RNA sequence: GGCCCCAUCGUCUAGCUAGGUCUAGGACAUCGGGUUUUCAUCCCGGUAACAGGGGUUCAAAUCCCCUUGGGGUCACCA
């Protein structure tokens, strides 16, 4: 039997990073077994704007390269793939359940049900349904129905049973039916509830493995009972732990972003994100985009390979040493029995480390494209198709080397893209290395002249020139190099100084030196 | 509160199914040293964990029980 897995998101307008990992496990299991991965949209409560709410979810799947064999936009033999359009299936299944006596119409007022529940709680007893409606005679039911009395449909729980779940990840888990109230499976308007619709769809779509977050574990006995009542072949189960926020065991949540901002383990990620997002015109404090969402990583310029690698290693491992896995390796090696049982916190440090690795593996042209897009968004280049621009960006990327972990890191070397006037100087270090030292300005003036006289403005000769200049002036290179760097790049540290100077070009370097010297002089004035 | 799940370095994890080879391995982070004009990279090295208590056993991180702690879930939400 071919393996069929599914991911059934509710269209909420964003893709949760934890949900993405659950989806990844589903996808991986299907691909590993040459099976199918299905996307089904759980929109049982009516949706406002489907494009807006579903778009980001599909975009996240596309970005990470998780293709679906059946679902929205691609269709398939078990469509439609929107639960809101599958009403007829639920209606039919509901009729069967009513017919077979596995479910019953409950006319009890919800206020009464509620009161019983509260009373039970007060007396510390387990609440189970009163089942008062079960003693109604057929003609009474018919009359109530004719009168239009509202009722819900409940599944009749076999109270003497136990449900045993054989979970791929949890092992054997038992639930005692005598403790379970009869769950509502259809509202008074006839619409299905989650547990019911899911069961009908999983069966109709021939899902073989239900791989989902562990918070659904307590729904599972109800779903198993429903499958039995419907005479379905019950799928296999695998409840994966949820993704916790860094350094905690709490489920990561969109509503807790402000709390995460103060979390030291999250710090580095937020710093990187804030810096990049503000650069491309997104307000990082608005929380419309946050590390809880997949889109955040895309915007900041993370690589799909890095995000995927981080997600797959969260709660799953191949052995005692494999860390890096490509798409293909993941598919080949992934198995459910190696998924861990406990919740795992997302580790921003490790995520960044995976980024570095996959960025270093990335072909030059893809690096270029990623950076071009970033620079374009920030307005630092005009035309990303321009050959000259591309050549320049390529050289900057080469120069930045492994400093580039995500595409957004290209802004760390913005000195190559801003105008001389826009160049922002690290004032604290400028004070320390240029303004305060007695002879710095004089030296720089002298150096400026030498540079001006040089025709060969390439790295090696420039290095030699600077070296001999230091010897001649009897100063340490440690005094002159940083000062020069500050003047022409605005930064205290960065890529190779001489190659940077070469790339900036003579005109720019001289101009920036002039400006900096002037600035230093004016600051030295008493 | 009921039910259910979980528990190894700061973090992600290996080891647990079939107890000994575990003075508990790897990775990230961190600290120290080396390379480098700076930063980053790279190389070398260090610190660092079986939640606690009882059993079972010649032997327990591994099996059993209890405690503690953490988490999930208890809707006419998904």
């Amino acid at each position: 039997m071919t393996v069929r897995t599914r991911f059934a998101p509710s269209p909420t307008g964003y893709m949760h990073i934890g949900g993405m990992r659950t989806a990844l496990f589903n996808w991986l299991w299907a691909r590993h077994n040459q099976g199918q991965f299905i996307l089904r949209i759980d929109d049982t409560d009516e949706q406002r704007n489907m494009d807006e709410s579903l778009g980001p979810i599909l975009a996240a799947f596309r970005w990470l390269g998780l293709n679906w064999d059946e679902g929205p936009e691609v269709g398939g033999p078990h469509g439609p793939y929107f639960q809101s359009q599958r009403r007829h299936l639920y209606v039919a299944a509901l009729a069967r359940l009513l017919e077979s006596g596995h479910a019953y119409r409950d006319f009890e007022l919800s206020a009464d049900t509620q009161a019983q529940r509260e009373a039970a709680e007060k007396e510390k007893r387990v609440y189970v349904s009163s089942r008062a409606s079960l003693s109604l005679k057929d003609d009474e039911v018919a009359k109530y129905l004719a009168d239009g009395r509202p009722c819900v449909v409940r599944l009749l729980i076999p109270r003497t049973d136990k449900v045993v779940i054989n979970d791929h990840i949890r092992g054997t888990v038992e639930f005692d039916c005598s403790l379970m109230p009869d769950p509502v499976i259809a509202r008074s308007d006839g619409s299905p509830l989650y547990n019911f619709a899911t069961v009908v769809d999983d069966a109709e779509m021939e899902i073989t493995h239900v791989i989902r977050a562990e918070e659904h574990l307590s729904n599972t006995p109800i779903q198993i009972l429903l499958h039995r009542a419907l005479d379905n072949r019950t799928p296999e189960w695998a409840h994966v732990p949820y993704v916790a926020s860094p350094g905690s065991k709490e489920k990561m949540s969109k509503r807790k972003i402000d709390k995460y901002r103060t979390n030291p383990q999250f710090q580095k990620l937020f710093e990187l994100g804030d810096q990049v997002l503000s650069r491309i015109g997104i307000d990082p404090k608005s929380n419309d985009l946050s590390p809880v969402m997949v889109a955040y990583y895309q915007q900041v310029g993370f690589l799909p390979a890095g995000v995927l690698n981080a997600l797959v290693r969260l709660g799953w491992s191949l052995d005692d040493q494999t860390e890096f896995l490509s798409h293909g390796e993941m598919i080949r090696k992934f198995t459910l029995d190696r998924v861990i049982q406990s919740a795992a916190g997302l580790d921003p440090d490790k995520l960044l480390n995976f980024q570095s690795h996959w960025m270093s593996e990335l072909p030059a042209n893809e690096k270029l494209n990623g950076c071009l897009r970033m620079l374009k968004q920030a307005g630092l280049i005009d035309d990303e198709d321009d050959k000259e621009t591309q050549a320049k960006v390529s050289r900057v990327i080469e120069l930045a080397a492994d400093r580039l972990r995500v595409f957004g890191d290209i802004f760390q070397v913005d000195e190559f893209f801003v105008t001389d006037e826009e160049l922002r100087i690290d004032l604290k270090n400028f004070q320390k290395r240029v303004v305060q030292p007695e002879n710095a300005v004089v030296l720089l003036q002298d150096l400026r002249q030498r540079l001006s006289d040089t025709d060969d403005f390439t790295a090696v000769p420039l290095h030699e020139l600077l070296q001999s200049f230091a010897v001649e002036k009897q100063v340490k290179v440690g005094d002159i190099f940083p000062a020069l760097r500050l003047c022409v790049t605005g930064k205290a540290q960065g890529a190779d100084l001489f190659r940077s100077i070469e790339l900036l070009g003579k005109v720019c370097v001289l101009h920036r030196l002039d400006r900096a010297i002037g600035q230093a002089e004016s600051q030295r004035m008493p």
Side-chain angles (χ1 to χ4, degrees), chain A residues 425 427-428 430-432 434-436 516-526:
Chain A
I425 293 181
L427 292 175
K428 200 172 150 215
F430 188 68
Q431 270 291 331
K432 187 174 148 205
V434 181
V435 181
Q436 279 168 5
I517 289 169
Q519 195 175 332
E521 275 176 332
S522 67
Q523 284 186 37
R524 281 170 71 92
M525 295 293 185

Side-chain angles (χ1 to χ4, degrees), chain A residues 349-364:
Chain A
D349 280 326
K350 201 138 181 171
L351 171 61
L352 240 15
N353 184 258
F354 282 123
Q355 280 302 311
S356 298
H357 174 82
W358 290 108
M359 187 59 91
S360 73
E361 300 277 301
L362 201 67

